Amino acid sequence: MSRRPFTAVLLANTISIAGSSLTLIGVPWFVLQTTGSAGRAGIVAFCATLPVAVAALIGGPVIDRIGRRRVSAASDLICGLSVAAIPLLHYAGLLEFWMLCALMAVGGLVHTPGLTARYVLLPHLAEHAGTTVARAASLYDAVSRGARMIGAALAGVLIATIGAESVLLLDAATFGASALLVASFLRGVPAAEPQRLSEKVSLAGYRAELAEGWAFLTRSRLLLGITLMVMMTNGLDQGWSSVLLPVHGSEALGGAAALGLLIALFGGFALLGALFYGAWGERFSRRTVFAAAFLLCGAPRYAVAAFTDTPLPLAVTMALSGLGAGVLNPILTTVMLEKVPDELRSRVAGVTTAGCELTMPLGGLAAGLLVDGFGVTRALLVFGGVYFLVTLTPLLFPAWRGLAAPRINRTEPVRPSAEPAARSPHPSTR
């Protein structure tokens, strides 16, 4: 047994996600600085997120056949090159807007398979390290949230001191470091290498798997409701993070440093929310906690940002919203485990993940167009109003009663699942 592969994946994921947080703030700020257009920032967000849904939908079988170690390392290398090309072309005076959109699209297409490849290795790495899957998954999630928090805070400070272009170069370096760690320390781990599967790769096979996952999803009103709700809120959150908050930070909050600290504050309290739910959440009704958490983490951010031009009120709101956001993923992961049979989890997860990310490209684009046409305050109010209406659905529709924990028959032993948890439809609140 050895902890080195698991430690290497944790470190690689930390570096990669922290670097992605640099991009999350650095690219919108770069676009606003160089073009002055919120609409163009929205177009860049559209180009960056549209390929994500495609990659989530078709990436699973490809990852297994190429090998998780190779996919993870290649993903980080390609992301690093695409990010580095933006400031380098800008310094050379060659960067056109279409090039920026294309480079962001390339990064969006390959980044998700890399994250997925590391995620699905967790059970094997946990066994290799002599620990449980639950402990490994908890540490993995905590490290990921911590990396987002640190990366966001660092991005705000660095943009204010060395400029958005230099921050993007630093992000490229983090991708390179992550690729090196995975390529070096996962060599020899059988689950990280290409899997020899009996069935041949075919379009018909892809269609059959997708159809089976889609059929199960449509038969479950609860899972379909969750997917539709998260699909809507992910699109709204993408508009918030890629356009609305950067524009508001530029116009009213004092710059990139305040923006980075707000995002870091949200991430830190989301980590606390996840820990609090793990300790005490099962004592309360899932449906009530889920609905309250979504109401807390959504619309208040938009409303407070629309009516304040100082950081403190929004900082308090972001902290409270983070607490709510941290509660959501544990509930969604638990429901996915309970409702979906082991043999269908990968297929259902692929369909739900793609569905949840379907509106993200439109969210950034719509936010940019609204800001250009009506101003940031009205855009914030529109997005916040829609968010509020969407997050009322768990309280209004009977299907959401299925969130309740199943009753356990105490006369029979509970058998743990033999397979790792599939990725549930996680909200992309930032």
Side-chain angles (χ1 to χ4, degrees):
M1 292 186 181
S2 173
R3 294 180 180 271
R4 291 177 66 186
F6 180 50
T7 303
V9 166
L10 285 181
L11 185 57
N13 218 44
T14 300
I15 295 172
S16 178
I17 290 176
S20 297
S21 295
L22 299 180
T23 301
L24 176 68
I25 299 176
V27 169
W29 208 263
F30 175 78
V31 175
L32 290 172
Q33 283 184 333
T34 55
T35 69
S37 169
R40 289 203 165 195
I43 293 172
V44 171
F46 175 87
C47 294
T49 51
L50 180 62
V52 172
V54 177
L57 190 62
I58 67 174
V62 175
I63 292 171
D64 289 338
R65 286 176 171 84
I66 296 177
R68 294 157 181 171
R69 179 176 67 89
R70 294 177 182 174
V71 169
S72 177
S75 168
D76 280 337
L77 284 175
I78 295 171
C79 284
L81 291 173
S82 66
V83 170
I86 295 172
L88 293 177
L89 288 171
H90 177 68
Y91 289 142
L94 300 175
L95 184 65
E96 300 287 345
F97 183 69
W98 69 266
M99 296 179 185
L100 175 60
C101 293
L103 290 169
M104 292 302 297
V106 170
L109 182 65
V110 302
H111 187 50
T112 296
L115 290 176
T116 303
R118 292 192 290 273
Y119 182 89
V120 297
L121 277 173
L122 275 180
H124 308 281
L125 296 176
E127 182 181 2
H128 212 67
T131 188
T132 65
V133 175
R135 290 178 180 175
S138 298
L139 184 57
Y140 186 91
D141 187 64
V143 166
S144 298
R145 289 187 180 276
R148 290 188 184 96
M149 177 182 65
I150 294 171
L154 190 61
V157 174
L158 290 177
I159 289 173
T161 55
I162 64 176
E165 297 92 337
S166 299
V167 168
L168 294 180
L169 288 175
L170 179 60
D171 182 21
T174 65
F175 279 119
S178 175
L180 182 62
L181 283 167
V182 169
S184 301
F185 289 97
L186 264 64
R187 190 179 299 276
V189 177
E193 300 304 325
Q195 306 299 302
R196 295 184 177 180
L197 305 176
S198 56
E199 66 271 16
K200 295 181 180 180
V201 180
S202 68
L203 183 59
Y206 269 114
R207 287 201 302 264
E209 290 187 5
L210 292 176
E212 194 169 8
W214 173 253
F216 185 91
L217 178 65
T218 54
R219 288 196 301 267
S220 171
R221 292 186 177 181
L222 175 62
L223 293 181
L224 184 60
I226 290 174
T227 301
L228 292 173
M229 179 180 178
V230 176
M231 177 180 70
M232 292 298 298
T233 58
N234 278 355
L236 297 168
D237 283 320
Q238 181 63 26
W240 165 265
S241 62
S242 63
V243 178
L244 298 177
L245 188 58
V247 172
H248 184 58
S250 175
E251 293 183 356
L253 301 180
L259 178 65
L261 290 175
L262 286 172
I263 296 175
L265 190 64
F266 182 93
F269 274 83
L271 175 57
L272 287 178
L275 295 175
F276 287 159
Y277 184 81
W280 299 292
E282 293 183 352
R283 301 179 184 180
F284 306 98
S285 163
R286 273 191 207 159
R287 185 184 183 188
T288 301
V289 172
F290 183 83
F294 237 136
L295 285 167
L296 182 63
C297 80
R301 290 176 283 147
Y302 298 84
V304 173
F307 293 113
T308 184
D309 57 358
T310 56
L312 183 58
L314 187 55
V316 174
T317 307
M318 290 286 279
L320 294 175
S321 296
L323 281 175
V327 170
L328 299 177
N329 286 350
I331 294 177
L332 293 176
T333 298
T334 303
V335 171
M336 175 69 76
L337 283 170
E338 292 172 353
K339 302 296 182 183
V340 183
D342 287 350
E343 63 273 14
L344 290 179
R345 283 181 186 159
S346 295
R347 298 173 190 182
V348 175
V351 173
T352 56
T353 300
C356 290
E357 294 174 345
L358 190 62
T359 60
M360 291 175 67
L362 300 177
L365 182 62
L369 295 176
L370 279 174
V371 171
D372 274 355
F374 302 99
V376 66
T377 298
R378 291 183 180 178
L380 284 165
L381 291 175
V382 169
F383 267 58
V386 175
Y387 212 122
F388 176 72
L389 294 176
V390 171
T391 49
L392 288 178
T393 54
L395 301 174
L396 299 178
F397 294 99
W400 288 87
R401 294 172 186 165
L403 278 177
R407 295 181 179 179
I408 299 175
N409 187 348
R410 298 297 182 183
T411 63
E412 297 182 2
V414 179
R415 296 183 179 181
S417 170
E419 292 191 11
R423 297 189 70 179
S424 58
H426 292 173
S428 68
T429 48
R430 312 189 195 282

